[in-house]
Amino acid sequence: MSTQQLPVVVIGAGPVGLAAATHLVERGTEPLVLEAGGRAGAAVREWGHVRLFSTWGEVVDPAAEKLLAPTGWTRPDPATYPSGGEWAEQYLQPLADALGDKVRTGATVTGVSRAGRDRTVDADREQQPFVVLVEYADGREERVLARAVIDASGTWTTPAPAGGSGLPALGEKAAADRITYRVPDLKDPAVRARYAGRRTAVIGSGASAFTALAYLAELAEAADGAGTKGMWILRRGISASTFGGGTADQLPARGALGLAAKAAVDKGHADAVTGFRTEAVERGADGRLVLVGEDGRHLEPVDEVIVLTGFRPDLSFLDELRLGLDERLQAPVALAPLIDPNQHSCGTVYPHGRRELSHPEQGVYLVGMKSYGRAPTFLAMTGYEQVRSVAAAIAGDLDSADRVELTLPETGVCGGAGLFDTPDAQPADGGGGCCAAPEPRLVQLVAPTAAGTAAEEAREGGCCGS
């Protein structure tokens, strides 16, 4: 059998993985989707209680909709916002069913290489098929040969730790019984009881942190939530950008998340601690946790900690492949400058496809969230355009693969998280601001502990100035 007759292995049956398979089918190329979970969209289902800030019209891939049409599937109202659970049940599962035996669940990829060639061997390397080692839920193992590999496994299984240095804080692992790395489902009675009437630290500054703060505020205002209190831990200062783009965000629901977090603080349901990088997690005699900063600060004891500091790609099973990854973001080298949070400011992500997603190892592509490495703010529509381009390239239609058109909604926020870590950072071009939003207003918050110069840092943060 020639390499061209082999299937393209797609790792992950999430939104982007299933879209990849759909585009391959549309091109007459046989896909084989390997999903570690028991059902399609397994990772999405784990945050099924969270509502997306993108509408149905933005989270359904056009090629997938064509594939689903003959089955009688109808897309939900394109102007409404699905929850993760609704996305999985009403779109991802029907799409996986339409793909049939091209999707295998309970199939964990444990390694990818070239047949008969480890990463050190040059001889005839590109003529060899890929070999994918798979372990099934029942313990069986299999070696699958493939003409190409599309890794859409995401980053959900590898959340970043609480430690400000990127390493787990001292005592973080020992305190695992009181720490979660996910937005809690406060509609679940058992989970609700865990947080009701208790003090919870939320570490993070993105959409997930906004969501957790809003959920805790709702609980605090409920009849069964009296005494619920949040402590919001930020590694940088407070500025106009802290709460996202607000009304300037072209995705209104995304902007609303930041406004909800601001409301939680303004109403006293959460205190903000700025310029705090967690060094250690200590357990007191009463079992409560005390967060200790790199600057020696000890915060007030909390009952629970929610760590929402981002995610990282799991590259361990790709170790025998020759990947070209940016040393900071762990994203493809050509893509990294377009998404680097140290430099990326408001405006859109530049169009990108198979060229930016290629590696020295020809025929392997990291797509979806995994393609962004450690960078945040990935949108489903980005992934759908990525895999359309990649599928075209695999099919040999390079003209189509290179005609990448992608226009993403602006966040209304100037600068990325890395830039904001420097209190006196200015726009890279030295110009007078990079946003078309109204002139920023600084949010005045008082940290619950003595913070040294943190208050001054808060006044100076942001790339647009004031």
Side-chain angles (χ1 to χ4, degrees), residues 164-359:
S165 61
L167 302 173
L170 297 175
E172 183 173 345
K173 293 181 179 179
D177 60 319
R178 299 244 177 163
I179 300 177
T180 183
Y181 299 84
R182 307 286 189 261
V183 176
D185 182 3
L186 298 185
K187 293 183 179 178
D188 182 316
V191 176
R192 192 176 184 85
R194 176 175 174 175
Y195 295 94
R198 291 175 170 81
R199 188 174 182 86
T200 299
V202 178
I203 305 176
S205 59
S208 294
F210 294 164
T211 302
L213 290 166
Y215 282 4
L216 290 172
E218 290 177 4
L219 178 58
E221 294 178 352
D224 62 340
T228 303
K229 184 78 173 183
M231 180 189 291
W232 188 16
I233 312 299
L234 296 113
R235 293 173 178 171
R236 58 187 188 232
I238 297 287
S239 76
S241 65
T242 298
F243 298 97
T247 57
D249 195 322
Q250 291 182 8
L251 287 178
R254 180 171 58 188
L257 286 176
L259 297 178
K262 183 178 185 302
V265 175
D266 289 345
K267 292 180 180 179
H269 297 312
D271 296 319
V273 180
T274 60
F276 189 91
R277 296 177 179 273
T278 307
E279 174 74 14
V281 180
E282 299 178 352
R283 192 186 294 266
D286 60 358
R288 304 178 82 198
L289 303 181
V290 175
L291 301 181
V292 182
E294 293 178 353
D295 57 4
R297 275 186 286 167
H298 287 62
L299 303 184
E300 296 178 17
V302 295
D303 301 286
E304 301 286 342
V305 178
I306 303 173
V307 180
L308 301 169
T309 53
F311 293 87
R312 301 170 173 182
D314 178 7
L315 302 168
S316 60
F317 60 90
L318 303 177
D319 195 48
E320 291 303 323
L321 297 178
R322 298 175 176 181
L323 302 181
L325 299 175
D326 179 77
E327 62 185 7
R328 296 163 300 167
L329 297 185
Q330 296 177 296
V333 169
L335 177 60
L338 310 183
I339 60 176
D340 187 351
N342 290 287
Q343 301 176 10
H344 190 60
S345 64
C346 57
T348 58
V349 174
Y350 292 99
H352 66 278
R354 64 102 181 179
R355 289 183 181 276
E356 292 79 10
L357 298 171
S358 296
H359 294 274

Side-chain angles (χ1 to χ4, degrees), residues 1-8 29-30 129-130 145-148:
M1 178 184 292
S2 71
T3 299
Q4 295 301 307
Q5 294 175 299
L6 295 172
V8 174
T29 303
E30 183 69 13
F130 290 96
L145 296 181
R147 62 181 289 191

